[in-house]
Amino acid sequence: MNQILEKMHEIGIIPVVVLNDAKDALPLGKALIEGGLPCAEITFRTKAAEESIRIMSENLPELLVGAGTVLTTDQADRAVLSGAKFIVSPGLNPKVVQHCIDKNIPVAPGVVTPGEIEKALEFGLKVVKFFPAEPSGGLAMIRAVGAAYTALKFMPTGGIHPGNAAEYLKSDKVHACGGSWMVKEDLITAGAFDRITELCKEAAQIVKDTRK
Ligand code: 3PG
């Protein structure tokens, strides 16, 4: 499997980040590293996304930085130019997926249904996002659909929290979980980076405990 995807599996929980101001990118990146979750999926929901990816990638080589909520090929290009090492989308947009494959950048599009999964398989993908995880049936749904598609791994995101992350991570169908609970917007805007580090440490411990 691709090295970046391997690394995401190793980290186990991928912080899904909304940054409103690129000035927060550096302290946030440092907090993630210190907390033992050296990864950030920076969502293209704000104007600060591109610049934040650039700042993190240029200054924090030990942080694995990717782009989330990538809806267009143009956003994928801007993310990669800024230094993103992986692309995540909420749904499976064939144009975006093909574009990322052509550019040789790992892409995890969001899927829920067997039809969407089969599209992902046609592209040769090994890992997909399962989104929104909890409202779409959670682990029970992953187990049910996953049984039919033995080679595919899922990154459940949406509704994952410290109380259910371990259960997801224990499943051999789950590649890694995505979640925003440790990097909530209000914590970032309040500059509560120590608290973010603490929450990351707790999350990293959950990963460790499930992989003993
Ligand atoms: C998102 O796209 O915002 C992610 O699904 C995060 O979901 P969460 O806030 O429930 O972790």
Side-chain angles (χ1 to χ4, degrees):
M1 184 176 285
N2 171 285
Q3 266 189 348
I4 300 288
L5 292 173
E6 289 276 12
K7 183 85 190 149
M8 290 165 86
H9 170 69
E10 219 175 88
I11 295 168
I13 294 176
I14 309 301
V16 178
V17 183
V18 177
L19 275 171
N20 291 302
D21 192 330
K23 78 166 172 32
D24 295 324
L26 198 53
L28 176 68
K30 288 179 180 166
L32 294 171
I33 293 168
E34 206 184 321
L37 289 186
C39 185
E41 177 189 319
I42 307 293
T43 56
F44 260 72
R45 294 177 204 173
T46 65
K47 290 203 179 96
E50 215 173 321
E51 180 63 6
S52 300
I53 291 171
R54 179 169 296 112
I55 291 171
M56 285 177 161
S57 309
E58 283 178 4
N59 295 287
L60 302 169
E62 63 272 63
L63 188 72
L64 178 59
V65 187
T69 324
V70 172
L71 305 180
T72 65
T73 56
D74 174 60
Q75 285 177 336
D77 284 341
R78 282 162 38 212
V80 174
L81 276 176
S82 306
K85 296 290 187 296
F86 63 88
I87 301 289
V88 178
S89 310
L92 194 155
N93 176 327
K95 275 191 203 160
V96 172
V97 173
Q98 187 60 55
H99 193 71
C100 291
I101 291 171
D102 292 345
K103 302 252 160 184
N104 209 18
I105 175 127
V107 58
V111 303
V112 171
T113 65
E116 291 161 345
I117 289 172
E118 291 193 14
K119 276 193 196 133
L121 291 176
E122 269 194 38
F123 281 109
L125 300 181
K126 306 277 186 287
V127 175
V128 287
K129 175 172 174 163
F130 179 69
F131 177 78
E134 281 288 294
S136 305
L139 195 51
M141 180 69 170
I142 290 178
R143 285 199 187 110
V145 290
Y149 307 103
T150 50
L152 197 65
K153 303 279 184 197
F154 297 85
M155 288 206 301
T157 310
I160 313 293
H161 55 75
N164 63 9
E167 206 191 333
Y168 277 99
L169 288 166
K170 279 183 205 149
S171 165
D172 65 354
K173 293 284 164 204
V174 171
H175 186 70
C177 290
S180 68
W181 78 87
M182 70 304 272
V183 287
K184 283 280 174 227
E185 261 179 274
D186 55 344
L187 292 175
I188 297 172
T189 40
F193 297 108
D194 289 349
R195 179 69 186 136
I196 290 174
T197 294
E198 253 174 49
L199 290 167
C200 288
K201 282 187 179 162
E202 286 168 22
Q205 192 60 46
I206 295 172
V207 178
K208 256 188 221 147
D209 290 346
T210 57
R211 298 200 174 148
K212 269 183 203 156

